[in-house]
Amino acid sequence: MIRTLVGMTFNDDSQLQGGKVRRRGRTTAIAGGGVGIAAVVVFLIAQFTGVDLSGLVDSGGVTQIQQAGDEASPVAECRTGRDANASIDCRMEGAAESLDAYWTSESRQLGITYSSPDFWLFDGSTDTACGTASAATGPFYCPPDRAIYLDTAFYDDLQAKYGASGGPLAQMYVVAHEWGHHVQQLQGTFADTDRSGTGASSGSVRVELQADCYAGAWVGDAANTTAANGQTFFEPITQAQIADALSAASAVGDDSIQRRSTGQVDPDSFTHGSSAQRQRWFERGYEQGATSCDTLTVPGSSL
């Protein structure tokens, strides 16, 4: 049974400035060779998101490509928190503005010079420096572009296929995790960490768990982060809403994915961490802030 919990709520009167999230134009379908290309992209993007979406590749050989000449534009009519509560596009805009405000301040504690990532919504598919992104790949961060890519149809699949809560905080946790990867890019973490291996304490798992911790740190401060008009972006966070985000973190744990797909769990092949690890590091960030998110140097037994 699909479980929907109440999600993090924007203050209706908080002001959104707009322009953080842009949407690319509609796509067109073409036949021929689509499955092979999409399957490769699904595999690569799974390395970023921890979500196995290979079952979503169109078996009919149809893929989606961005139409030449389509222009990107800011998501429309996102002016207040009330809009963010009512619209998924505006929710992404509100989350982006809150994340940007949080990391502009928090980056000083981490000793980095902060700059915003690009954040692209798209329908069907779009081109990136990391390859062609499609609805099947799920949200991901592309380091060469310093950009987050998301087809919001992914949220329906996350709930229906993977059993995660479909609430707003579960949705925004996904964005905050990818935003955490952008912070890691600014820190030099991607360049300095060997992510080629697998296993419960591998470099790839450590990087993903830190992004979960960074997501939790943002949630922990979200009710204090203010919008342009001085109103806080969000109302106070409840424990039920935290459970909403933890549901998404659990759904994309390596053990949960493996158990659903094969019925067995192989820790030696982990690339993102177990459900328990992902939840634990999210909670650590939520309770202790971004400076507590040292997953890179702690012993494997502490992960």
Side-chain angles (χ1 to χ4, degrees):
M1 180 176 67
I2 294 174
R3 184 167 58 106
T4 302
L5 298 174
V6 61
M8 191 158 67
T9 304
F10 286 86
N11 277 320
D12 281 346
D13 296 329
S14 61
Q15 179 182 334
L16 301 183
Q17 294 181 300
K20 292 293 183 186
V21 181
R22 289 173 288 173
R23 178 173 284 282
R24 290 184 173 177
R26 296 284 177 175
T27 57
T28 186
I30 60 171
V35 171
I37 295 170
V40 171
V41 174
V42 166
F43 172 79
L44 291 176
I45 303 311
Q47 306 311 302
F48 289 92
T49 64
V51 182
D52 179 7
L53 295 172
S54 57
L56 302 181
V57 177
D58 190 340
S59 60
V62 176
T63 188
Q64 303 281 334
I65 62 170
Q66 192 75 29
Q67 289 181 344
D70 279 350
E71 295 183 357
S73 59
V75 292
E77 301 301 324
C78 298
R79 305 181 189 278
T80 66
R82 184 177 289 103
D83 296 330
N85 286 327
S87 159
I88 183 64
D89 280 13
C90 293
R91 190 173 305 133
M92 297 298 96
E93 174 66 33
E97 292 190 23
S98 174
L99 280 156
D100 208 42
Y102 171 73
W103 284 113
T104 296
S105 174
E106 189 65 23
S107 61
R108 303 185 189 102
Q109 303 298 318
L110 300 181
I112 61 175
T113 301
Y114 179 75
S115 60
S116 305
D118 286 332
F119 189 176
W120 297 99
L121 303 182
F122 65 92
D123 297 313
S125 74
T126 193
D127 291 329
T128 82
C130 297
T132 301
S134 74
T137 64
F140 72 100
Y141 177 73
C142 180
D145 285 345
R146 298 196 174 192
I148 297 165
Y149 294 91
L150 170 64
D151 184 332
T152 53
F154 164 79
Y155 291 131
D156 294 331
D157 294 320
L158 182 63
Q159 184 181 16
K161 295 180 181 292
Y162 295 93
S165 167
L169 186 49
Q171 296 171 355
M172 290 186 283
Y173 152 76
V174 173
V175 176
H177 174 93
E178 302 307 329
W179 212 284
H181 283 319
H182 176 66
V183 173
Q184 291 172 321
Q185 172 74 0
L186 298 177
Q187 289 176 297
T189 301
F190 287 148
D192 295 340
T193 305
D194 181 3
R195 294 176 291 136
S196 61
T198 62
S201 61
S202 62
S204 57
V205 166
R206 291 172 182 273
V207 166
E208 295 299 329
L209 294 179
Q210 186 177 61
D212 283 329
C213 188
Y214 283 165
W218 164 68
V219 174
D221 197 65
N224 301 317
T225 305
T226 55
N229 63 346
Q231 285 269 6
T232 57
F233 282 102
F234 294 101
E235 295 178 356
I237 312 301
T238 69
Q239 286 303 307
Q241 293 163 356
I242 295 302
D244 195 12
L246 291 174
S247 167
S250 176
V252 294
D254 283 322
D255 54 340
S256 294
I257 293 171
Q258 291 178 355
R259 193 176 290 111
R260 282 192 300 269
S261 60
T262 68
Q264 299 178 335
V265 175
D266 177 18
D268 289 338
S269 66
F270 283 4
T271 58
H272 291 73
S274 69
S275 294
Q277 286 176 314
R278 301 195 73 165
Q279 291 179 314
R280 182 164 59 250
W281 280 98
F282 176 93
E283 289 182 306
R284 183 183 180 113
Y286 174 74
E287 294 170 357
Q288 301 181 36
T291 57
S292 73
C293 297
D294 178 16
T295 62
L296 303 178
T297 64
V298 298
S301 59
S302 298
L303 289 174

